[in-house]
Amino acid sequence: MKSKLFFFIFLLNSYIESQTIIGNKGYTEFEIGNLNVLISVPHDGDLNPAEIADRNEEDGGFVIDYNTRRFANELNTELFSLLNKKPFMVYNNLHRKKMDPNRIPQVSCSNRSITLDCQKTYQEYHNYINRFKRDMNLLYRQLLIIDLHGQSHRENWTEIGYLLNEDELNRPVLIETDKSSINALKENQGYSLEQIIRGNASLGSFIEKYNYRVVPSPSIKGPGNGEYYTGGYSTFIHKSSQVNTIQIELAYFLRSSNGQVKIHAKNIAKAIGEFYKYHKFSLYTKL
């Protein structure tokens, strides 16, 4: 027991000082925090090295998620102010046409020309997330990963992806399943799927209190015939019995300018902070 307690204190203290790890050739960044929240930004990189071949566009779009990095940085600052601890951050700095970390390995890089730098960058990106999970799992009962994206769908809403598709969300009552990306939270606290995905305990509920249109949420339970992203590879591959993953697809107006980012990131951070406190994410693991 004493040795486990000593290791717990050592690991906790080792994350008091935030530091940034720069990956191979600056293609990735990993900011180490001391909060059991990680924010990943896969699609706002702008590096276009000629030595890395372009991906096939049919394997996923090339459009960057404009200003999502800036939005993530503001979330980081605001969450630190609200929770007195810093989230972990992971950035892909390569342009999406070079490498897409939110795709399965086979299509994340060009399949026309094998480039070791691209494959290494992809592995680094996910290894950083795995490091966060490995270390924070020793400290906390539950972890939260937010995969931050942007979209310009005509509905002008913000989409929260839990790996449930449109047909599932459009049902009057959600059918119980363990496939959602926040099944860990559901099982740990005994919620129904309805409560945790679009009820008063959902992230959508906390965000819509700040006058945003959010799907799913108590006000907009499903996308109907509208456009909606369910959650991608990162949301799927990093969830576990202790790790909750959520894909947030920001509406364009939230990030259309630096000024808009400043305003709306503050509100979204407040909602995430309230969600964090409501579900007692701050509880440490049992020693």
Side-chain angles (χ1 to χ4, degrees):
M1 175 65 75
K2 287 185 178 179
S3 61
K4 190 173 183 180
L5 179 60
F6 175 79
F7 179 72
F8 176 86
I9 295 172
F10 170 78
L11 190 59
L12 186 62
N13 287 338
S14 70
Y15 283 113
I16 298 301
E17 294 294 332
S18 179
Q19 58 177 306
T20 300
I21 297 174
I22 305 298
N24 178 51
K25 297 185 178 181
Y27 295 158
T28 58
E29 292 177 50
F30 180 45
E31 291 184 12
I32 297 176
N34 57 353
L35 182 67
N36 54 332
V37 175
L38 178 142
I39 302 172
S40 53
V41 185
H43 293 157
D44 200 11
D46 60 1
L47 299 181
N48 278 292
E51 62 268 23
I52 296 181
D54 290 353
R55 298 169 50 243
N56 295 329
E57 193 163 10
E58 60 268 23
D59 290 333
F62 286 176
V63 178
I64 65 168
D65 292 348
Y66 176 70
N67 253 356
T68 49
R69 177 170 182 141
R70 187 179 296 274
F71 202 100
N73 288 338
E74 291 294 333
L75 287 179
N76 186 347
T77 300
E78 293 298 328
L79 286 171
F80 177 68
S81 176
L82 293 166
L83 302 175
N84 296 314
K85 290 186 178 182
K86 289 184 70 66
F88 289 68
M89 311 291 290
V90 176
Y91 304 100
N92 167 38
N93 293 330
L94 283 175
H95 194 284
R96 192 175 179 182
K97 70 181 180 181
K98 297 295 183 179
M99 193 278 287
D100 189 340
N102 198 35
R103 293 289 184 269
I104 60 173
Q106 293 86 339
V107 298
S108 60
C109 298
S110 172
N111 58 15
R112 296 189 298 269
S113 175
I114 297 175
T115 308
L116 294 181
D117 273 341
C118 184
Q119 295 172 336
K120 183 175 183 179
T121 301
Y122 179 85
Q123 291 168 355
E124 276 183 344
Y125 182 93
H126 288 286
N127 284 342
Y128 291 146
I129 299 175
N130 288 332
R131 173 176 169 177
F132 160 79
K133 294 192 298 180
R134 179 197 68 196
D135 291 351
M136 291 294 104
N137 272 339
L138 297 174
L139 298 178
Y140 293 93
R141 297 182 184 183
Q142 295 277 302
L143 311 184
L144 177 61
I145 295 175
I146 295 172
D147 195 35
L148 195 65
H149 295 255
Q151 43 77 27
S152 301
H153 293 158
R154 63 183 180 276
E155 291 80 12
N156 207 30
W157 56 27
T158 288
E159 302 159 16
I160 305 180
Y162 300 109
L163 303 178
L164 302 177
N165 63 38
E166 293 92 330
D167 290 340
E168 290 170 305
L169 291 175
N170 285 337
R171 291 178 178 274
V173 178
L174 296 176
I175 296 176
E176 291 295 326
T177 176
D178 61 1
K179 68 177 282 189
S180 89
S181 61
I182 56 170
N183 191 63
L185 185 61
K186 174 180 175 292
E187 295 298 323
N188 182 266
Q189 300 198 16
Y191 287 108
S192 69
L193 195 65
E194 188 74 25
Q195 289 172 312
I196 199 70
I197 297 296
R198 59 190 188 187
N200 291 333
S202 68
L203 179 58
S205 173
F206 289 95
I207 292 177
E208 75 171 12
K209 286 194 299 184
Y210 291 91
N211 298 314
Y212 296 112
R213 300 184 71 239
V214 188
V215 58
S217 66
S219 297
I220 309 175
K221 294 183 179 296
N225 294 322
E227 294 181 274
Y228 172 74
Y229 288 129
T230 63
Y233 176 76
S234 293
T235 307
F236 171 76
I237 201 66
H238 290 295
K239 72 165 189 165
S240 74
S241 61
Q242 200 174 341
V243 181
N244 301 278
T245 57
I246 299 176
Q247 178 172 297
I248 297 181
E249 290 273 357
L250 299 168
Y252 180 73
F253 79 91
L254 300 179
R255 53 195 171 86
S256 60
S257 69
N258 295 346
Q260 290 298 304
V261 166
K262 195 85 174 175
I263 294 169
H264 299 299
K266 183 183 288 287
N267 291 335
I268 301 299
K270 287 178 183 177
I272 293 171
E274 291 163 7
F275 178 79
Y276 180 95
K277 291 177 179 178
Y278 183 87
H279 291 294
K280 299 181 173 65
F281 273 96
S282 61
L283 291 177
Y284 293 121
T285 190
K286 295 179 181 178
L287 295 176

